[in-house]
Amino acid sequence: MSATIIDGFAIAEQVKSRVADKVSLLKEKGIVPCLAVILVGKNPASVSYVTGKRKALAQAGMEDRSLELPESTTEQKLLSIIDDLNRDDRVHGILVQLPLPAHINAENVTNAIAPSKDVDGFHPYNIGKMFAGKKGFLPCTPHGICVLLKTMNIKTEGAHVVVVGRSAIVGKPMALLLLQKEYNATVTVCHTGTNDLASFTRTADILIVASGHINTVTKDMVKPGATVIDVGVNRIPDSTKKSGFRLCGDVDFEGVKEVAGYITPVPRGVGPMTIAMLIYNTLEAAETLHESV
């Protein structure tokens, strides 16, 4: 019996449709939600991600204030641009696409974005609010995964969730979110220092894999009937593809789908949800600014 495939693309389209409806209502009040996505350099993966985000902005009827800057842009210049955007009340959200060129300190850049416009949810202020269980911008990928689980009616209450990976972008916030009373899961976090990873993954009712490595989780490492969420995006050379590569996750999809109850594919799994929640956060930022005026 094969696992049910979670169609992240379809669920993301539902989220974006609901956002677009609310954007239309805001526009009737003279407010146009606006996001500035800043891309420094021409990293192929980053260019692809930014293109997807800009397409979603257009789809939602939002204003696109995106900027493409040369690789040689100095940190001081980038911080100056962010400061200008922070002061512009017509811009509701700011996102700087990572990774940045080596000469720019990503932490300085993240911290320079006004918390009220930090639609990525990476500013220490917003991370602190999430830790405390207060309302604020949630990191897009973990939030998107929570929406996937809710939409598929996958129970988190009392479930044992194993998160593989401890990054500040996915692993750590994912664990924090699922510990909230809204989800009420029991969470284990595994990482590169974990001994005998399989002994943990086999106990998971919900297994979330964000390791950044192909085949981190294989069929024998999964509890029968478990829900498996694959966050990884890895490029594999493939001469049969026009691009010269194909995408795969951190999970051995073909093997794991034979034992799992639910599984996300790569692509069309978690990725589309990340962009959908970015658009959702931008709407929230616009609504919050309007309420405060």
Side-chain angles (χ1 to χ4, degrees):
M1 184 174 173
S2 189
T4 297
I5 310 299
I6 300 174
D7 189 344
F9 180 83
I11 296 171
E13 289 298 301
Q14 294 171 16
V15 172
K16 289 189 286 186
S17 177
R18 291 195 292 270
V19 168
D21 289 343
K22 291 186 177 182
V23 169
S24 294
L25 294 176
L26 277 183
K27 283 182 172 180
E28 291 176 4
K29 300 174 183 177
I31 302 161
V32 183
C34 173
L35 174 64
V37 180
I38 303 172
L39 175 65
V40 184
K42 294 288 185 182
N43 179 294
S46 293
V47 170
S48 176
Y49 294 146
V50 168
T51 299
K53 290 166 182 174
R54 297 187 70 178
K55 182 179 177 182
L57 276 177
Q59 187 178 346
M62 293 182 172
E63 183 181 345
D64 181 353
R65 192 77 72 83
S66 298
L67 298 167
E68 294 185 7
L69 305 175
E71 182 95 13
S72 59
T73 301
T74 65
E75 182 175 320
Q76 184 177 5
K77 176 63 175 177
L78 179 56
L79 293 175
S80 175
I81 290 170
I82 290 170
D83 185 55
D84 289 342
L85 293 170
N86 282 338
R87 297 169 186 271
D88 190 340
D89 287 342
R90 297 166 298 175
V91 175
H92 302 104
I94 304 169
L95 181 152
V96 178
Q97 183 65 46
L98 302 177
L100 288 165
H103 65 277
I104 298 177
N105 185 305
E107 184 177 356
N108 291 343
V109 170
T110 298
N111 293 350
I113 297 171
S116 62
K117 299 188 179 188
D118 169 42
V119 290
D120 244 346
F122 292 162
H123 193 285
Y125 178 83
N126 285 318
I127 292 171
K129 290 184 80 171
M130 179 178 62
F131 182 87
K134 305 295 183 183
K135 181 175 171 58
F137 294 123
L138 299 175
C140 299
T141 298
H143 191 192
I145 290 169
C146 288
V147 172
L148 282 181
L149 295 173
K150 278 189 172 182
T151 303
M152 297 300 295
N153 294 314
I154 294 166
K155 184 182 176 184
T156 57
E157 175 91 24
H160 181 207
V161 179
V162 174
V163 179
V164 181
R166 56 180 167 184
S167 74
I169 295 174
V170 181
K172 287 177 183 176
M174 188 79 257
L176 279 174
L177 266 182
L178 289 171
L179 285 172
Q180 307 288 354
K181 284 192 175 181
E182 180 180 356
Y183 301 103
N184 243 7
T186 299
V187 183
T188 299
V189 180
C190 298
H191 45 76
T192 51
T194 300
N195 291 321
D196 191 9
L197 177 63
S199 68
F200 293 94
T201 60
R202 278 194 290 261
T203 67
D205 301 307
I206 300 171
L207 178 59
I208 301 171
V209 189
S211 64
H213 299 285
I214 298 165
N215 292 338
T216 296
V217 170
T218 52
K219 178 180 178 180
D220 59 306
M221 299 170 68
V222 176
K223 176 181 178 180
T227 295
V228 179
I229 307 294
D230 190 349
V231 186
V233 181
N234 303 290
R235 294 188 175 205
I236 305 296
D238 188 339
S239 59
T240 67
K241 301 290 185 182
K242 184 179 179 181
S243 62
F245 65 86
R246 61 183 172 85
L247 299 179
C248 72
D250 297 341
V251 171
D252 174 17
F253 180 82
E254 293 302 323
V256 171
K257 74 177 183 180
E258 295 178 8
V259 294
Y262 294 88
I263 190 169
T264 57
V266 177
R268 297 178 70 92
V270 172
M273 292 301 299
T274 299
I275 293 177
M277 302 323 294
L278 171 66
I279 301 303
Y280 174 89
N281 280 353
T282 302
L283 171 68
E284 291 267 289
E287 288 179 330
T288 300
L289 181 63
H290 174 62
E291 288 168 3
S292 66
V293 174

